[in-house]
Each structure stands twice: as structure tokens, then as C-alpha cells.
Amino acid sequence: MPDQPSLPALPVTFRPGRTRAVLLTAAGAIFVVITVVAVLLPTLGPGERLSFVFTAAMLAGVLCMLSRPKVVADEAGVTVVNITVRRQLGWAEIVQVNLRVGDPWVFLDLTDGTSLPALGIQPGIAKQHAIEDARTLRALVESRSVAEPEQQQG
């Protein structure tokens, strides 16, 4: 198949690189600007300056949390790291990898009937890269899900 990517060596990490770079750059810039403003404003007392810096750190922290999502595929399975949640899945637990037109990120259909969002592959800024990553993850899931039961029987 021409759309079938060659399988990468494991472990492989999928993450939205451009989005992550934008978020981390913005976090650093916001922290620096607000901290500099706190230091340069002559009318602020020490407590007010500290509250400015604390607010800057909180805003930067939120942006860093938003940059956290990734999907890591290794020999044992797939680890999905979203904003606040981390979930380890065995290869056999994943039924299908979906990235439909208009989806904000990849969804993993699981054997328990649920669907898990995988924010580490999202077509926001780099749509073509996300499509390639989704195809690669889909190929890995298909190859590992088929191979895993054969290995268990043998």
C-alpha cells in the first residue's frame, strides 16, 4: 500500500513539536515580561511584586502543562500522556487508531468499548505531520496487535 508507512524502530515518541515550541516559548516570554514589569514598577511593594511573579509562574505552568501531551510506543505497548493523565496500554488493548477530518487529535478505540483521546498527535499547526504520525501509529498497532496473540500462543 502506498499509504502504509514503514514501521519505525521502537521506542518512538509522537508529540506536536511546533505546538509545544510555541507553548514553551510563550510560557518563558510571559514569565519574563511579567517578572520584569513587577521589578520595574516603582509603586509596588514586596508582596505585590511577589504576587506578580507568582501569577507569572502560574501562567507559565499552565502553558507547560498544555505542552505535555505525547504518545510513546514501545515494545510493551503505548503510553498516552495527556495534559494531566498518563495511561499505559498494551498493544492488544487498542482496536483502532482514528484521526478523522475535523478531529482535534487522535482517538484510540479500546477493547473495553471506550475511546481514549491521544493529544500527542494533533493536526493543529502541523496537519500533515499529524496525519503521518497517525498512520505510523495505526501501522504499529495493526502489526503488534496481530503479532502479540501469535507470540502468546507459541
Side-chain angles (χ1 to χ4, degrees):
M1 268 193 294
D3 286 345
Q4 188 73 8
S6 62
L7 296 178
L10 296 179
V12 62
T13 301
F14 304 102
R15 70 175 2 138
R18 290 182 188 166
T19 302
R20 180 176 163 85
V22 168
L23 288 169
L24 292 175
T25 301
I30 287 171
F31 182 78
V32 168
V33 168
I34 293 176
T35 300
V36 167
V37 167
V39 170
L40 293 179
L41 283 176
T43 58
L44 295 180
E48 292 168 319
R49 289 180 203 273
L50 187 61
S51 70
F52 266 68
V53 173
F54 178 75
T55 301
M58 292 297 291
L59 290 171
V62 167
L63 291 176
C64 288
M65 289 293 290
L66 291 173
S67 73
R68 185 174 180 250
K70 66 181 176 180
V71 177
V72 179
D74 59 23
E75 293 296 333
V78 176
T79 303
V80 177
V81 180
N82 287 333
I83 296 171
T84 59
V85 178
R86 175 187 190 104
R87 184 161 175 197
Q88 175 70 37
L89 301 165
W91 288 108
E93 290 180 74
I94 304 170
V95 175
Q96 189 172 6
V97 177
N98 294 309
L99 180 59
R100 295 176 289 268
V101 175
D103 280 352
W105 39 72
V106 162
F107 288 91
L108 303 177
D109 292 340
L110 306 178
T111 55
D112 64 2
T114 62
S115 183
L116 176 68
L119 279 61
I121 303 175
Q122 49 183 268
I125 296 175
K127 183 177 182 177
Q128 194 58 41
H129 184 68
I131 291 169
E132 291 169 16
D133 285 352
R135 285 180 179 154
T136 301
L137 182 59
R138 181 179 298 129
L140 283 168
V141 166
E142 288 171 357
S143 71
R144 296 292 173 152
S145 294
V146 171
E148 208 168 82
E150 292 172 3
Q151 291 170 356
Q152 291 173 354
Q153 290 175 357

